[in-house]
Amino acid sequence: MADEQKIVVEIPSDRTHYSPVPITQQPNKLEQFRRGWVNAIALPDNFTDLLFDITASITIPALVTSCWVTLPLPTFMRLGGAILAVVMVLLLWQMLAIPEVQSILAFRLALITVGVVLGL
């Protein structure tokens, strides 16, 4: 076959210049979980996104609370909402154990509380 080319590979005989790639340790699953929540809860850096995030944190709970109080919801929906609220409180209780999340979570909970009070 005329199109074939020979490939020459030189292997150095001296092993002193060999430097293996260092193995980086992966963080454990709990640390990855914490980093994920810290990144998810952190406030945006952009000012317009920050305003939108704060506004949504107030208006969505206000809308839900207003509908909860004024609309004649069936009993199973009210019971489901109460169970959902209990599960959310348990999740928040666990998240407050993460030190990096405490301050931003307290700020977000304050915004949600303001929204709930406005919805009543």
Side-chain angles (χ1 to χ4, degrees):
M1 305 210 175
D3 294 343
E4 291 182 8
Q5 294 180 355
K6 290 184 179 180
I7 298 175
V8 178
V9 178
E10 294 182 20
I11 301 174
S13 61
D14 187 14
R15 293 260 185 200
T16 58
H17 299 294
Y18 176 71
S19 62
V21 177
I23 299 172
T24 58
Q25 292 183 353
Q26 299 251 347
N28 61 5
K29 296 292 183 184
L30 182 60
E31 186 61 31
Q32 288 178 352
F33 177 76
R34 286 183 179 185
R35 285 286 134 218
W37 276 109
V38 168
N39 292 338
I41 293 176
L43 291 173
D45 295 332
N46 188 356
F47 183 70
T48 55
D49 290 340
L50 178 66
L51 286 178
F52 177 77
D53 191 61
I54 290 173
T55 305
S57 295
I58 294 173
T59 56
I60 292 173
L63 177 65
V64 170
T65 305
S66 176
C67 289
W68 183 273
V69 172
T70 58
L71 295 178
L73 296 174
T75 305
F76 74 92
M77 289 181 77
R78 290 188 183 269
L79 183 62
I83 291 172
L84 181 66
V86 168
V87 170
M88 288 172 42
V89 166
L90 291 175
L91 178 68
L92 288 173
W93 184 267
Q94 291 297 319
M95 287 178 58
L96 283 174
I98 303 173
E100 297 92 5
V101 174
Q102 286 177 350
S103 61
I104 192 65
L105 190 60
F107 177 68
R108 287 191 179 267
L109 287 174
L111 292 175
I112 291 170
T113 304
V114 168
V116 167
V117 170
L118 288 175
L120 294 176

